[in-house]
Amino acid sequence: MLFRQLEYLVALARERHFSRAAQACHVSQPALSEAVRKLEDELEVLLVRRGRAYQGLTPEGERIVLWAQRILADRDALRDEVDALRTGLSGRLRIGSVPTASGAVPLLTGPLCAAHPLATVELSTDLRSEELLRQVRNFEIDAGITYLPGPGADDLRTLPLYEERYVLLTSLADGPARHPRATWAEASRLPLCLLHTGMQGRRVLDEVFAGLGLEPTPRVETDSVASLFAHVRTGHWASVVPYAWLHVFGVPPGMQAVLLVEPVHSAPIGLVIAAREPGSVMARALLDVARRTDVAAVLGSLPGA
């Protein structure tokens, strides 16, 4: 069995198409197909349903893909460990983040790159929480920054970073000007631009509104926190945004950000990695940085409030 065969099978499971999987692996489609067939012969089990086109993996194939992902992750971790012992940490750290937490990610990547000058970071900041956890579990990324999962996530290792709080972002003309705080009820009566309903950050807001018997109907929905700021800047909209983003954009001219109260709600944001030993040396390095960095303290004040 060759690592290359496992890589081809994982790519096929991810791309769900022989041609796209071959392109991702930089080989011809016949070469990829033949390598997968040889893997089936060696394991003496059918892995792929074949017809005129790719029809998915067999149940046995689904199980083998999980093993393949783990084996390839361990191979990469071994290489990174050896490189770190020889020359210091020099691999690529793959981080995923939910959009609402992506403004806080530089508080970790900055110290990491300063401590390890040869390390590089590959960052995806538009992942939904469920997809982020799936990628951590499947070793597609080394670590994630997201809403902390609840009970039952024994295969994950978590480190709380900060509590996400929320501010009402409005133009100076339209919001409850000159007041340091606003209520969720006041926010619900404004023309809102919010995140998409399928995003965890939006579900958190909907739960707060529903708990107060409120059901706001935003006329604009987006998957980008930056887009929320852009819409509010026009003077036509208001939004509820994570306070951590004020440390990215500040409070733009002509706008105001006030803490939302009644209730003061928060959601835990943390670092998530796979719970395995010895695990990824890159993930361990990020975990060490996160333990030494008081993210909550950095994000503990609202600029311009």
Side-chain angles (χ1 to χ4, degrees), residues 151 192 228:
L192 290 174
L228 297 179

Side-chain angles (χ1 to χ4, degrees), residues 200-225:
Q200 180 68 19
R202 171 63 183 280
R203 292 198 293 269
V204 171
L205 304 186
D206 286 345
E207 289 173 3
V208 178
F209 282 123
L212 297 171
L214 303 171
E215 190 175 354
T217 54
R219 296 186 60 191
V220 177
E221 295 179 315
T222 176
D223 62 354
S224 164
V225 177

